[in-house]
Amino acid sequence: MLICSACAVEREEPVPDLCPICTDERQYVPEDGQQWLALEDLATAGQQTVLVDNEPGLMGIRTQPKVGIGQTAQLVMTPAGSLLWDPPGYLDADMVGAVLERGPVLAVAASHPHMYGVQVEWSRQLGGIPVLVADADKEWLGRRDGSVNFWSGTATIADGLTLHQTGGHFPGSAVVHWAAGAEGRGVLLTGDSVFPNPDRRSVSFMRSYPNHLPLSGAVSLRIAAQLDELTFDRIYGNFNNVIPSAAKTVVRNSAARHAAWTSGDFDHLT
């Protein structure tokens, strides 16, 4: 198994010359190229994983220095066990131990293929737990394993912890609804299915974030309507970017704004 230096998604050998995920229009191959790396090489170079306290029951996990896209994974802890969401493209024994110290892990899942990381490797190190992959995105899976389980629509991990397929960024793009988060007001973990913006007062709906390719207004409204059925007050994105409160209103208003801009309602401002 090797990982792509640009996106850090694992792939079985023999690997292609270029990473299929990075050559897709939603991502890119860096100007200085893309290489295939072994986890052992990263460990030798001093790669580390770091825990981040987000709120009670929610820990972030990031690589230092960043590997690939550099997402912050989320470990959601419930009385029944944990979910590892958007797993990084690197792991080490210390972090595996730190995760297991916080209770059994029920599953690994990613919001979309850019966030697959080394999901199968995490599964194996955590005891062969299920890797949940959206059926609509299975063509992007670079490493097959008996732990991989395909799902669509919704998937319940534990009481109050559910995956919801939103589509948009990828057909299988998903979010996690954690009912107990934000002191019981509810949390969404969205990856970049819905992206919390730097102003912390709006979110984005994009087919490609690095290449600035928007989704249609109709899709943004569809996603917002689907999420409006859930109870949540806070959002965490895939870089630990946060909408700290009133997140449901933020999603609703952001989708309406996105739809208005893409339909030409604000062309007079340009």
Side-chain angles (χ1 to χ4, degrees):
M1 183 272 291
L2 297 174
I3 67 168
C4 167
S5 61
C7 69
V9 172
E10 64 189 351
R11 188 160 292 273
E12 298 165 345
E13 299 183 69
V15 294
D17 291 339
L18 290 175
C19 172
I21 286 178
C22 291
T23 54
D24 177 68
E25 68 176 0
R26 282 161 286 205
Q27 199 51 29
Y28 65 96
V29 176
E31 186 176 359
D32 58 356
Q34 169 252 320
Q35 298 82 39
W36 295 102
L37 306 172
L39 291 180
E40 295 80 7
D41 295 336
L42 291 173
T44 302
Q47 190 68 49
Q48 294 180 312
T49 49
V50 180
L51 276 174
V52 181
D53 280 310
N54 285 330
E55 61 178 82
L58 186 67
M59 302 286 298
I61 302 173
R62 62 167 59 116
T63 56
Q64 188 174 296
K66 81 177 183 71
V67 176
I69 293 172
Q71 70 262 31
T72 298
Q74 302 293 342
L75 183 70
V76 194
M77 292 163 275
T78 78
S82 303
L83 170 69
L84 179 61
W85 175 248
D86 282 349
Y90 179 76
L91 77 171
D92 53 36
D94 288 344
M95 184 54 66
V96 170
V99 168
L100 291 175
E101 282 175 6
R102 288 159 172 81
V105 184
L106 303 174
V108 180
S111 56
H112 65 288
H114 294 155
M115 300 291 106
Y116 283 169
V118 290
Q119 56 186 2
V120 169
E121 198 63 30
W122 276 102
S123 165
R124 291 182 177 184
Q125 295 299 320
L126 293 171
I129 60 175
V131 176
L132 303 180
V133 174
D135 187 72
D137 293 338
K138 61 185 177 184
E139 67 182 283
W140 299 102
L141 190 62
R143 188 180 184 191
R144 301 281 173 170
D145 189 78
S147 63
V148 174
N149 290 266
F150 296 108
W151 70 282
S152 61
T154 61
T156 299
I157 307 300
D159 186 33
L161 188 63
T162 310
L163 304 183
H164 295 268
Q165 182 181 350
T166 63
H169 184 45
F170 276 78
S173 283
V175 303
V176 175
H177 181 233
W178 176 37
E183 299 80 38
R185 299 187 306 277
V187 161
L188 287 186
L189 308 178
T190 61
D192 53 15
S193 303
V194 174
F195 188 85
N197 290 327
D199 64 7
R200 300 176 303 284
R201 294 181 289 110
S202 64
V203 296
S204 293
F205 306 86
M206 302 286 281
R207 177 166 173 82
S208 171
Y209 289 89
N211 299 323
H212 305 292
L213 184 62
L215 295 170
S216 72
V219 171
S220 72
L221 292 171
R222 184 197 78 200
I223 293 171
Q226 179 182 346
L227 297 181
D228 208 49
E229 298 178 4
L230 304 175
T231 300
F232 63 97
D233 189 56
R234 186 174 297 154
I235 291 176
Y236 290 86
N238 56 350
F239 298 104
N240 229 31
N241 40 335
V242 182
I243 304 296
S245 62
K248 179 181 280 196
T249 299
V250 166
V251 170
R252 189 185 302 131
N253 292 345
S254 296
R257 182 181 73 166
H258 183 104
W261 271 101
T262 55
S263 66
D265 289 1
F266 295 123
D267 283 1
H268 64 284
L269 299 177
T270 65

